[in-house]
Amino acid sequence: MDAALSTLDALLDPDPEDTVWSQGRLGLLGSDGAGMEHPVPDAPRYWWLQRQYKPDMACDASAYRGIGKLPDGACEKGKWNADRSGAITVAGYWQPGMTRFPVPEGLRLDGRQDPQNTVSRPYDVVSVPMDDGVWHVTVYCPATLEQSKGSSFASTGIGTRESPCRTVEVTVGGQNPFWLDAQ
């Protein structure tokens, strides 16, 4: 979650001069597990500065698209009534057939195993309710694959100093992330 929130802080930061902010925006995202890069949305700076965090948006099921789990009882009559930061959620698990994460070149797996069960592990999605819809910030943590070799756990979000987690995509206002099938 730290990598995702740092990226959003940089996008929404009103302090840097325009040229510094613009150059920094281009360097916010890293490549995903297959080495592919996804562009930062190209909205003008004034648009980013107008965005507001809106926990109530998490209560709108059509905007939320079911990514992430909200605390029980957090929404009542379409209003967020829990801790404000609790509306920011992390989804670190994927149902079979729902994703199409890129398979890194050279990855060797048993032919009887769905590669998505392995390549999805290093990805987390941080869902942030904003005034224009829920933003999905996809984070890739490559150390998860290294940690899980020879281990039976299916944990996500493991970052190390040598292999830190990095944001690979930010989708805004209900756009589908690159890895979600349009079913």
Side-chain angles (χ1 to χ4, degrees):
M1 186 175 286
D2 291 342
L5 294 179
S6 291
T7 300
L8 291 183
D9 283 346
L11 281 171
L12 301 172
D13 188 355
D15 293 333
E17 292 183 13
D18 286 345
T19 54
V20 172
W21 178 86
S22 183
Q23 290 169 351
R25 181 180 71 86
L26 297 175
L28 288 174
L29 302 182
S31 58
D32 64 24
M36 296 170 50
E37 292 186 6
H38 304 273
V40 176
D42 63 352
R45 187 172 189 195
Y46 68 83
W47 181 87
W48 293 100
L49 294 176
Q50 293 172 1
R51 301 290 54 93
Q52 301 283 319
Y53 175 64
K54 186 176 178 187
D56 289 346
M57 186 61 74
C59 299
D60 181 352
S62 66
Y64 210 65
R65 299 184 188 263
I67 297 175
K69 172 128 176 61
L70 299 175
D72 291 333
C75 293
E76 189 173 301
K77 296 181 182 175
K79 298 290 181 192
W80 184 260
N81 62 6
D83 175 34
R84 285 181 54 83
S85 64
I88 300 172
T89 62
V90 175
Y93 58 92
W94 319 103
Q95 300 301 317
M98 90 177 254
T99 59
R100 51 186 166 90
F101 287 100
V103 178
E105 191 173 317
L107 180 68
R108 303 279 183 244
L109 297 172
D110 184 318
R112 295 166 289 195
Q113 180 182 358
D114 179 353
Q116 291 298 305
N117 291 337
T118 300
V119 299
S120 64
R121 286 184 198 153
Y123 291 91
D124 276 327
V125 174
V126 177
S127 299
V128 182
M130 298 294 281
D131 60 336
D132 66 333
V134 176
W135 293 11
H136 303 291
V137 183
T138 303
V139 176
Y140 178 68
C141 298
T144 303
L145 282 179
E146 295 302 316
Q147 287 272 355
S148 64
K149 287 180 183 173
S151 169
S152 61
F153 75 95
S155 170
T156 60
I158 297 171
T160 65
R161 264 178 236 200
E162 296 81 23
S163 297
C165 296
R166 61 184 178 260
T167 300
V168 296
E169 184 183 45
V170 177
T171 57
V172 300
Q175 298 276 326
N176 277 337
F178 75 93
W179 46 263
L180 187 61
D181 278 336
Q183 296 183 8

